Amino acid sequence: MTSTERFGAAPVADVGTSESAWQQWFSTRGEIPMLEVDVERLVVLAAHPDDEILGAGGMMIAAAAAGIEVVTVCLSDGSASHPGSPTHSPEDLAAIRRGELDAATDILGVEHSVWGGLPDGALTTADGAMTRIVESVLDERPDMITGVLSVWEHDGHPDHEAVGRCASKITRERGLPLWFYPIWLWHWAIPGEDTIEWDALRAHRLDDGAMATKKAAVEAFASQIHPLSDAEADQVVLPAHILERLLRRHEYVFSR
């Protein structure tokens, strides 16, 4: 069964695997190797506005502090976060979410994201467009040693997986280093299950300053962490039990 099939159509309909279960597993697994990013330029790929902050905000902070040029690319417009909303049209949501992402990157201290603007929820049919966007960003600085940090290709959300597959194909063709950050893995996976390449996991620890900055950046996504209205279709997309798993002291990537 694929992660997408396991994840289902309603990803936050239940609480998923608790953060306490993950922490217990981390404590018994043994030391996870620390992430080493030896590049001059880091291109960070997200499917939706907020993926990159939730999954890799601390890594971006550290990379920028180390003098690495950080370029973030958001492929979709985020317009499908609240389908059927009685208060916000998809066009409204796209504008809101782009503004939130710009505010979040300002807080992190990196440049505003390259905005792909592709239809949210339809990235599985947009491989050609995504490839052109990502390759154009990579081609901007051919003189720099570049690595790619992408949302994971087995994350359980079709858009996430489409971006991950795109990243995998491009980096393989160009011989670039690639790291995958998971988002929804922490919701649906069973800690230690043997279908996941845990040996490829690498850790990045956030210090107190980075933790505070990441949390402030996440707060910029008001449309996702607070209800848009009292209507059922306007409820929170990222409730507390989801954020708990994404605002932990360590961020994790799968090294390719």
Side-chain angles (χ1 to χ4, degrees):
M1 182 180 293
T2 67
S3 53
T4 300
E5 288 169 340
R6 295 175 56 184
F7 195 56
V12 291
D14 58 57
V15 297
T17 303
S18 69
E19 176 61 6
S20 62
W22 283 112
Q23 290 303 324
Q24 181 180 11
W25 179 72
F26 288 137
S27 69
T28 58
R29 177 175 171 79
E31 186 174 357
I32 295 172
M34 299 303 291
L35 173 66
E36 296 182 7
V37 179
D38 187 18
V39 298
E40 298 171 321
R41 188 174 191 243
L42 184 65
V43 175
V44 184
L45 306 182
H48 309 104
D50 69 12
D51 292 337
E52 62 284 87
I53 310 299
L54 293 166
M59 289 178 261
M60 289 194 287
I61 293 168
I68 297 171
E69 179 181 306
V70 178
V71 181
T72 61
V73 183
C74 182
L75 276 307
S76 91
D77 61 8
S79 61
S81 67
H82 292 79
S85 169
T87 59
H88 291 73
S89 69
E91 293 76 19
D92 290 340
L93 285 167
I96 289 168
R97 299 197 69 189
R98 184 171 188 176
E100 291 172 344
L101 182 56
D102 286 349
T105 52
D106 284 343
I107 292 168
L108 290 191
V110 300
E111 293 295 322
H112 288 177
S113 292
V114 175
W115 187 253
L118 300 173
D120 186 358
L123 295 186
T124 55
T125 61
D127 183 66
M130 288 193 297
T131 297
R132 288 190 292 272
I133 292 167
V134 175
E135 288 191 331
S136 69
V137 172
L138 294 173
D139 288 343
E140 288 174 353
R141 296 300 305 269
D143 56 313
M144 299 183 77
I145 299 171
T146 299
V148 175
L149 177 60
S150 171
V151 67
W152 190 34
E153 63 182 346
H154 301 299
D155 203 36
H157 187 297
D159 280 352
H160 290 201
E161 297 190 354
V163 173
R165 288 192 299 270
C166 178
S168 185
K169 176 177 179 290
I170 291 172
T171 55
R172 185 171 57 250
E173 291 174 348
R174 293 180 176 236
L176 303 178
L178 171 64
W179 303 273
F180 285 122
Y181 62 91
I183 298 290
W184 291 111
L185 161 75
W186 309 115
H187 182 82
W188 56 258
I190 299 170
E193 64 177 279
D194 59 11
T195 59
I196 296 171
E197 298 180 83
W198 298 113
D199 288 343
L201 203 63
R202 299 293 181 267
H204 172 76
R205 178 176 172 81
L206 284 71
D207 61 23
D208 290 345
M211 281 293 299
T213 301
K214 179 176 177 177
K215 287 179 179 178
V218 170
E219 286 292 327
F221 296 103
S223 70
Q224 307 301 294
I225 64 176
H226 302 295
L228 298 177
S229 76
D230 292 335
E232 183 176 354
D234 278 350
Q235 293 309 295
V236 172
V237 175
L238 297 171
H241 67 272
I242 300 292
L243 291 177
E244 183 182 21
R245 295 186 289 252
L246 298 169
L247 290 173
R248 54 170 72 120
R249 179 62 69 170
H250 286 86
E251 293 173 341
Y252 296 95
V253 298
F254 291 102
S255 181
R256 174 59 63 83

